[in-house]
Every structure is written in structure tokens, then in C-alpha cells.
Amino acid sequence: MPYSIVETCIGCTACTKRCPTNAITGERNQLHVIDPTLCIDCGACGVVCPPEAILDTYGNVCRSLKKDQWPRAVVIEEKCIGSGCELCINICPFDALSLQHTDRVDDFFGVSTVDEKKCTGCRLCEDVCGWDAIHIFPLKEEIIKDWSELTEEEKQIVARARKALGVV
């Protein structure tokens, strides 16, 4: 099930700019919509949503984070096999990964390196890495807003959205 946007959306367009698959549409100052056929459940939209109007796959409210706290890929160089694999590089929609030489690993072509200015933390690289060499921090569970932090009105809105989505 894809991410969804609830009625507290203010139409700021932050999510549309952050979405790696262009799954989000909407006019400024109006409720936005996520196309379920394009959504890859990455959560990149949720961390930039000021009114916290985005629900994850399970109907949990995504927490808005300050820019310096946004999810980012971290490569564990000792685990990255570098040249010959490049799955993470090929799947990244933002060209945020490339092979670079490092002081620690001396592979002929280098190891995967993250350009933090380009990385949205969409988790595609983490999902595709068969070597457990790349991780996104903070973890997905850490960017979910706890139910106790929601106002009564927000709880009602989320409950209605969950019911509409068929999530209990």
C-alpha cells in the first residue's frame, strides 16, 4: 500500500519537490494526492511535510524533520564491493551515489560514495544492496510520529484515513 496524504495538507508543494518518482501532484494551497502506481513507499515526502499530513504504508503519521535530520544514505566501505556491483548507483533516481576512491578501500574503481546534497533518503539503495553495505539513517521507524503526540482532531483524521485505506 502506498503512502497517502490526509486533509490537513496545506498544499505547500514540499512533498512534490522531494518525491523521487514524481508520484505526488497538486496545486499550491490545495490538497495533494499520491499516485499509488508511482509511490515506492520511501517516505521522502513525509519528512518534509510541515503539517505532518502524510501517512505511511501502515497508516502512521510521518514526522516532519529539520533539513539536517533528513534521512541520508551511509555506506559502510568495508562491506561495499564497489566496482562490479554498482546496484545502488544504478537504482538511485538522483545520481546521489558514485564510485570514488577512499583512503580506507583501494578498489580499482573505488567504492560507493554518497553525495549528501543529492540524497533524499528514499531507501532504494538500501533495499537493493545485497552486501548490507548501505543504510539510511534515521531508520524508518524513527521518522514516524507517535500516536500519543497527535491531537484529538489529528487522531480522528488519521482514523478516517486508515479506515478509507483499509488499514486497521
Side-chain angles (χ1 to χ4, degrees):
M1 184 176 303
Y3 277 54
S4 59
I5 300 175
V6 294
E7 62 198 63
T8 54
C9 170
I10 58 173
C12 68
T13 72
C15 60
T16 60
K17 295 175 182 128
R18 186 91 169 146
C19 179
T21 61
N22 297 315
I24 305 172
T25 57
E27 299 294 320
R28 182 167 285 288
N29 301 320
Q30 294 181 11
L31 180 69
H32 283 50
V33 177
I34 298 177
D35 181 339
T37 63
L38 297 176
C39 180
I40 58 172
D41 304 329
C42 69
C45 56
V47 298
V48 298
C49 181
E52 297 179 332
I54 297 179
L55 304 183
D56 74 359
T57 305
Y58 306 102
N60 298 308
V61 178
C62 296
R63 182 184 305 277
S64 179
L65 301 173
K66 293 178 182 171
K67 189 171 185 172
D68 64 345
Q69 298 172 322
W70 287 354
R72 294 278 188 252
V74 175
V75 176
I76 302 167
E77 293 177 353
E78 293 80 13
K79 290 185 174 185
C80 180
I81 65 167
S83 58
C85 175
E86 302 172 33
L87 291 173
C88 61
I89 293 167
N90 294 332
I91 203 164
C92 181
F94 293 107
D95 295 323
L97 295 161
S98 62
L99 290 178
Q100 302 291 324
H101 291 284
T102 68
D103 295 335
R104 299 186 66 167
V105 178
D106 191 25
D107 181 275
F108 182 72
F109 291 103
V111 295
S112 189
T113 305
V114 181
D115 180 343
E116 291 190 12
K117 291 178 183 170
K118 294 180 179 179
C119 179
T120 66
C122 72
R123 302 183 193 279
L124 289 174
C125 57
E126 180 181 54
D127 292 341
V128 77
C129 180
W131 302 99
D132 194 38
I134 193 161
H135 297 278
I136 307 298
F137 295 104
L139 302 173
K140 245 183 180 176
E141 307 82 56
E142 297 173 332
I143 59 174
I144 301 301
K145 195 168 183 181
D146 191 70
W147 186 258
S148 64
E149 296 177 76
L150 302 177
T151 65
E152 286 305 314
E153 181 184 4
E154 289 171 326
K155 287 178 182 178
Q156 291 173 3
I157 291 168
V158 170
R160 282 195 306 270
R162 285 180 175 173
K163 187 176 180 182
L165 294 169
V167 178
V168 178

